[in-house]
Amino acid sequence: MRRSVVAHAGAKKGDLVKVHYTGTLDDGTQFDSSIPRDSPLEFIVGEGRVIAGFDKAVMGLEVGQKNKQRVEVDDAYGPSDPSMVLSFPAEQAPKGLEKGMKVKLSNGMIATCSKFDDKEIELDLNHELAGQPLTFEVELLELTPSERMQKATFGAGCFWGPELMFQRVPGVLATEVGYSNGQMPNPTYEDVCTGQSGHAEVVQVVFDPQQVSYEQLLELFFDKHDPTQLNQQGNDRGTQYRSGVYYHTPEQRELAIKIKDKVQAKHRDLIVTEIEPVSMYYTAEPYHQQYLAKGGRAGNAQSAAKGCQDPIRCYG
């Protein structure tokens, strides 16, 4: 029997790509490059993980092809926003702070100390490249077409730990954390934490079913959290921490019910995991994404390497 072959005319929206890149400013200054550190950038085209101009630079490329593209300010990091510059009395400055230093705020955002004198300090939350056009040279190294990928969405308490858990799974191509199955449009983290938005904290997983099955992801999900705790995981309490499987297809729903029933046989207490169609899903704020892999609260990065079995420190 002959197998049909689907032609793929270069990278398109929804594809997972891995690229090497070099970025320069108009004066020729190189501000970043993945090549010296041999760390290609991996992202799904069009999902907002990179600036819009970077998406455009990759669109249409086939594996092995290169492109050089100038990115204007609006498709880069946008214009510098004066409202993102915060002023504080100098006496509130932490010890050792100097002009030009970068600091990590309690919400995970990075700010630059743009002013420091006897009276006040200023912290600039704008991206350091805001207001500047950029030029990128990119080379497409790998491409996984969207037709080969599937999504899964799970709620298992605070989303930081579950995201790192799934990042480590071979066959998981990308992860992001977000808020799902609530009632409020475009909720913030603060909205979700009050319980008023009705959303659950979730991790959304993009995976290659040729490498890892949805059933395997379900088994990992049920094994790595307590599905018998209602609106709670450990000391985290509230409806946003509820256990949930939010399915994308009827087939996922059937598998979720099957695995839930299988796991129930191992528990004396009732499993309270809700199984619902994914709805009202919103991506969480950038500072929550890959939070533990980037260092968490303590600034100590935890490995997201495939197959890593290191214990996960829930808050970093």
Side-chain angles (χ1 to χ4, degrees), residues 211-245:
Q211 299 181 58
V212 61
S213 69
Y214 183 64
E215 186 167 341
Q216 288 173 305
L217 296 178
L218 282 166
E219 289 174 343
L220 180 65
F221 161 77
F222 278 110
D223 183 57
K224 296 300 183 180
H225 84 296
D226 185 349
T228 68
Q229 289 192 313
L230 181 63
N231 300 328
Q232 177 183 351
Q233 284 297 303
N235 293 325
D236 292 328
R237 300 185 180 187
T239 56
Q240 70 271 29
Y241 299 121
R242 64 188 182 269
S243 174
V245 176

Side-chain angles (χ1 to χ4, degrees), residues 34 50 56 83 148 164 264:
S34 65
V50 297
K56 293 177 181 178
S83 69
R148 205 175 98 188
L164 182 59
Q264 180 64 76

